[in-house]
Amino acid sequence: MSATPQKNRASRRVLAAAAGLATVGALVAAMPAGAHDRGHGHGGGHGHGHKPRTVDVQLLSFNDLHGNLEPPAGSAGNVSETQPDGTVKAIPAGGVEYLATSLRTARKGNPYSVTAAGGDMVGASPLLSGLFHDEPTIEALNGLDLDVTAVGNHEFDEGATELARLQNGGCHPVEGCYEKGKKFKGADFPYLAANVTKEKTGKPLLKPYTVWKKNGVKIGFIGVTLEGTPDIVTANGVKGLKFHDEVETINKYARELDRKGVKSIVALIHEGGAPASTSYNYDCDSPGAGDGISGPIVDIAKGITPKVDALVTGHTHQAYVCTVPDPSGKPRMVTSASSFGKLYTDTTLTYDRRTNDIVRTSVKSANHIVTRDQPKAPDMTRLIDRWNKLAAPIANKPQGWISADINGRGSTAPEKPLGNVIADAQLEGLAPADKGGAEVAFMNPGGIRADLVHKASGSEGDGVVTYGEAFTVQPFTNMMNVVDLTGAQLVTALQQQVSGPNEASPKILQVSKGLTYTLDLTKSGADRVVASTIKLNGEAIDPARTYRVAMNEFLAGGGDGFPALGQGTNKLVGASDLDLFNAYLAAHSTATAPLAPPATDRITVIQ
């Protein structure tokens, strides 16, 4: 999902600390020739006897891990499952200790098994990974035997140079090596970025594709991120890069692979859709009215050449196993495994040794829950413990107290309780005249990465919010901006939540106290925001008046499809979003008077 990347996070984080598949990705092209057959100990071949004409290749995939090494807390860590009686049950899932066990168990008895991912493996990560520039997550993915991944938009949060370091290894240029005598090795799987080129040379930033090989079986993986990545990443993160059309890029490299004799092709695409149900076991191909899947991936899938046999997707954090017709009208599998390592997809690709192609009619796929009632993988437990010891002095410092869960990421409502807390924190911190004189604050929903959970995550006690938990909610360390916007620009910005690039999938800004309006979802486009109802502290917005508006630097740059917010003038740069959030928690809560979840009564929603 879109979120708020940032500039110079490294130096900021040090200062702050001192102060307080389903997308299958581009595979092995990034490795030396002999490395393609490494097989990961997933089993051997059929020996020297007669080889059957077809071989079942197991494709395991997941997407949008976002550095969630530990099980995600609260509602953001649940998977929805529809029961036989039609009721929906929430099942706790995720955590790499369980993901590793799930994948290793699934591989048993499958001599031909390849594991791919759909992007956003890192970025917007909890403190355990984010504090160390996601080195712990790359190390965990190496241990999971990931074979290939596409890049996602979050792989660009810290820019192309940092992405290259995650691929190739080496210690951080500012913070150095985190463990004495240990140099970061980088990913032993290729990151694929077929549709990302360098502006100066026109050449791909990373490998566009890779070919997985075993006992004569060859499967090509092409990896792309969404073309709109520059709209949802700070300008610094995508400086010097060009992002190209997903369909044209995949079709181009599918032709190239085909010419090289690679007839079996999987596309790893960091772009997705929304199924009609949020339950992971929903039958996406059920024929009922309103059933199926919508969103950008549908048109992408319909445009990708029939040479591609399956699509592993991501970005929308949804769970689906659907078929979408290819340009020749034949059904083709499109999958996504939710997010945060809560699900994995198991797809069977039947490979025909005579044609070197996948028998498309026999492709089978299903999503499986990464349950927390299975044994933990001991190597992942050791990895988490090791990094937790390094993070503990910063992570465990209390910031405030809450009386109950305050939902952010886990809330599906347009107005989220945690969104209100964050917007109020930004307004309060930037309202003083010398801090910017803010009258209203806006927070982008994609930048809220977790819930604030009442239950203790460690030894801090229930209700205590630690620095690590606050960081997990606001991991980008975006600097805050206060700008002048006219009332007319404010109204336009609110209308841009539900129009233009956000019409199909609205992005409802979280607003500070005092701003109220009606959102009428029975209407279409910009009309869904009822302009006559927009008020600030009970007064109608004056189109000609200038207002001082606080928001993070990502929104102030027009990110997430809000060009009107990018038109601000008289900019003042304030503290980071995380600093303001922590200051608000400290000012508004004590052990005996914890902060309660706020009312969500700022946006009146008409369904």
Side-chain angles (χ1 to χ4, degrees), residues 164-310:
R165 187 182 77 88
L166 292 181
Q167 177 73 83
N168 302 317
C171 296
H172 192 271
V174 176
E175 296 180 24
C177 302
Y178 294 111
E179 295 177 287
K180 196 173 178 182
K182 273 193 185 178
K183 185 182 169 191
F184 174 57
K185 291 186 205 154
D188 65 12
F189 52 88
Y191 260 112
L192 304 182
N195 65 331
V196 185
T197 57
K198 298 174 189 172
E199 276 179 354
K200 282 185 182 170
T201 63
K203 289 182 177 169
L205 175 68
L206 296 168
K207 297 274 183 189
Y209 60 80
T210 189
V211 181
W212 178 85
K213 301 176 185 175
K214 183 161 187 180
N215 298 337
V217 173
K218 291 187 292 188
I219 299 179
F221 288 90
I222 303 167
V224 298
T225 188
L226 71 157
E227 185 182 7
T229 291
D231 301 328
I232 53 175
V233 173
T234 51
N236 233 34
V238 294
K239 197 173 177 184
L241 302 177
K242 221 170 163 190
F243 292 77
H244 303 272
D245 182 82
E246 303 95 336
V247 175
E248 288 173 17
T249 303
I250 292 168
N251 289 351
K252 169 186 165 182
Y253 286 112
R255 287 192 297 273
E256 189 170 310
L257 283 166
D258 187 59
R259 283 197 302 272
K260 291 182 172 181
V262 179
K263 309 292 183 186
S264 299
I265 303 172
V266 174
L268 306 178
I269 307 171
H270 192 70
E271 178 61 289
S277 163
T278 55
S279 291
Y280 89 96
N281 56 341
Y282 164 66
D283 178 5
C284 200
D285 290 337
S286 51
D291 274 336
I293 185 173
S294 59
I297 199 62
V298 178
D299 285 339
I300 290 172
K302 286 177 178 174
I304 289 173
T305 171
K307 292 181 196 300
V308 174
D309 299 294

Side-chain angles (χ1 to χ4, degrees), residues 12-20 394 397:
R12 281 187 205 152
R13 187 183 298 114
V14 173
L15 291 171
I394 296 165
K397 193 176 177 211

Side-chain angles (χ1 to χ4, degrees), residues 397-423:
K397 193 176 177 211
Q399 302 296 312
W401 291 263
I402 55 174
S403 64
D405 288 1
I406 305 180
N407 283 349
R409 194 73 187 188
S411 166
T412 54
E415 182 183 349
K416 306 171 194 307
L418 190 49
N420 287 357
V421 173
I422 291 169

Side-chain angles (χ1 to χ4, degrees), residues 2-7 12 154 231-235 409 418-419 422-427 430 435 438 440-449 473-485 507-512 548-568 571-581:
S2 63
T4 332
Q6 77 295 337
K7 308 169 204 153
R12 281 187 205 152
H154 281 282
D231 301 328
I232 53 175
V233 173
T234 51
R409 194 73 187 188
L418 190 49
I422 291 169
D424 287 353
Q426 295 176 353
L427 177 62
L430 300 169
K435 304 289 187 197
V440 65
F442 292 136
M443 174 64 192
N444 56 311
I448 307 168
R449 303 308 298 187
V473 169
Q474 295 247 269
F476 299 109
T477 320
N478 264 298
M479 299 318 283
M480 291 300 300
N481 291 181
V482 186
V483 298
D484 284 350
L485 287 172
K507 288 195 178 81
I508 305 303
L509 295 166
Q510 306 300 289
V511 299
S512 55
R548 291 292 282 165
V549 184
M551 63 194 110
N552 59 48
E553 62 191 335
F554 171 64
L555 277 179
D560 259 357
F562 290 98
L565 296 181
Q567 293 167 357
K571 178 168 78 172
L572 183 140
V573 178
S576 76
D577 51 7
L578 180 60
D579 286 346
L580 292 181
F581 185 47

Side-chain angles (χ1 to χ4, degrees), residues 67-74 76-78 92-99 126 128 340-342 370-372 376 384 457 472:
N68 279 263
L69 302 182
E70 296 175 296
N78 291 336
V96 293
E97 294 159 298
Y98 303 113
L99 180 59
L128 176 61
F340 301 170
K342 293 181 288 190
V370 176
T371 59
R372 298 184 197 167
K376 296 179 179 182
I384 288 170
S457 59
T472 297

